[in-house]
Amino acid sequence: MRQWWKHIDGSLPEEKVKCELNQQMLARVMAAQGSTQIEGLGQQAARIDARLFFRLQQQHGNQVHEWLPEYLKDNPHLCSKGYRPKVDPSRKGLTGGWMPKNAA
């Protein structure tokens, strides 16, 4: 069990690097593409790497509509062009973030 845990714990830095590289690519695509309007779904707010999204969901819970706008406000490089997240001021910066803010 300890060996398994060391493997899992040791792979986190590598996972973060892969996630960061993928998110940088997605940010470039979002900057080039802009914010698209999809009929029936609305405006595309952001593209977030699946691994990053599920890590954030583990940290902040299943109420995505509560923490995601704040996370996007803290990390504007993840947002699509023209999207401005509406943040609940009562949360007071609860999403520290798994990604560095200067990635883009």
Side-chain angles (χ1 to χ4, degrees):
M1 184 68 162
R2 287 183 186 158
Q3 187 177 13
W4 176 77
W5 182 252
K6 282 182 184 180
H7 171 72
I8 296 297
D9 197 38
S11 66
L12 280 176
E14 180 183 334
E15 178 184 336
K16 286 183 179 185
V17 168
K18 284 181 183 178
C19 179
E20 182 179 339
L21 291 173
N22 192 20
Q23 191 59 53
Q24 286 175 3
M25 186 219 27
L26 288 174
R28 284 192 298 271
V29 169
M30 288 298 294
Q33 178 184 20
S35 180
T36 57
Q37 185 81 12
I38 300 171
E39 189 175 330
L41 295 176
Q43 179 187 17
Q44 182 178 8
R47 273 193 179 168
I48 298 177
D49 180 59
R51 190 175 305 249
L52 170 63
F53 178 80
F54 289 114
R55 286 283 181 193
L56 288 168
Q57 193 175 23
Q58 284 176 332
Q59 288 177 351
H60 304 294
N62 288 330
Q63 303 299 325
V64 176
H65 65 281
E66 290 180 3
W67 58 261
L68 188 60
E70 183 175 317
Y71 187 78
L72 292 176
K73 182 180 179 205
D74 293 342
N75 299 281
H77 59 279
L78 301 179
C79 295
S80 60
K81 249 187 225 177
Y83 178 75
R84 300 290 177 261
K86 296 176 184 161
V87 177
D88 179 8
S90 67
R91 288 188 54 87
K92 297 186 185 0
L94 296 178
T95 60
W98 199 55
M99 294 281 294
K101 291 185 181 188
N102 60 358

